[in-house]
Amino acid sequence: MTGGVVSQRSEGTPQGGPISPLLSNILLDDLDKELERRSHRFCRYADDCNIYVRSKAAAERVMTSITGFLARTLRLKINPQKSAVARPWEHTFLGYSMTNHKEPKLKVAKSSVVRLKKKLKMLLRQSRGRNLGTLIETLRPVLRGWIVYFRLSEVRGIFEALDGWIRRRLRLVIWRQWKKPKTRAKNLMKRGLDQARACKSAFSGRGPWYNSGASHMNQAFKAAYFKNAGLLSLQHELIRLQSLS
């Protein structure tokens, strides 16, 4: 886009195109060989590279020397905003991070969880007015793709937490669809709550998000309810995928 007008490209390659990673690997092959020559441990995906050393002082030396190597030999510039000397567990790589144990464990980075939640909230907002089955079908491919990508994670707690958060978002949709307190009381009784508790909960005046996590909605719509409705459990799917590998 030049001045808001689409114009024909005269140089470079399209971002995300199949030729980009190929050219990246051809160009940065010299970087890989240089890091191997120095006996550094590293991971590289396209132009995103993590180099692991034993101390902060060593990391700062490597940062300076590799930046110089890229500038002199490959005529490439490092983006200072996207580059840093940091502890491995303070950094992310391809959506993953790691714990700060003596023997680190791979885990899903916090930023990846934030992005997933943002995407799911957007999908659920777009699907208001639809029945629960349709909502779950909308979420299924997103959840399945996400868990397949993060199946290498060794820390499982976040998957259980996400399962609970997703069920709460679905309870939120249900609560909002009921709209009126009388409708809410009536439907809560249909879901097994006694009249006194159903009425007290429906007419409490609390907001939708509070009610979606309250005990009356958890009792009315237990985890088994969503499982039977076809909701994919990230925690159970992770266990299944890891048992296959």
Side-chain angles (χ1 to χ4, degrees), residues 199-214:
C199 290
K200 182 180 178 181
S201 301
F203 289 89
S204 67
R206 299 273 193 169
W209 181 244
Y210 171 87
N211 281 285
S212 67

Side-chain angles (χ1 to χ4, degrees), residues 181-200:
K182 287 184 178 181
T183 305
R184 290 168 178 167
K186 180 181 178 181
N187 286 326
L188 285 173
M189 285 188 283
K190 285 182 178 179
R191 296 296 308 164
L193 275 70
D194 62 75
Q195 184 177 1
R197 189 180 177 202
C199 290
K200 182 180 178 181

Side-chain angles (χ1 to χ4, degrees), residues 21-79:
L22 174 61
L23 294 177
S24 174
N25 279 328
I26 292 172
L27 180 61
L28 293 176
D29 183 59
D30 288 341
L31 172 63
D32 294 346
K33 290 177 179 176
E34 178 65 16
L35 294 173
E36 289 170 352
R37 187 184 68 78
R38 300 185 187 192
S39 300
H40 290 319
R41 294 184 178 182
F42 67 95
C43 297
R44 183 175 67 77
Y45 184 85
D47 62 344
D48 191 358
C49 185
N50 280 4
I51 304 170
Y52 301 97
V53 293
R54 290 187 177 274
S55 68
K56 183 179 180 180
E60 289 173 343
R61 287 197 302 271
V62 170
M63 172 72 87
T64 301
S65 62
I66 292 299
T67 299
F69 172 81
L70 289 170
R72 291 190 306 272
T73 306
L74 301 182
R75 299 182 182 181
L76 297 173
K77 292 182 180 179
I78 292 288
N79 186 334

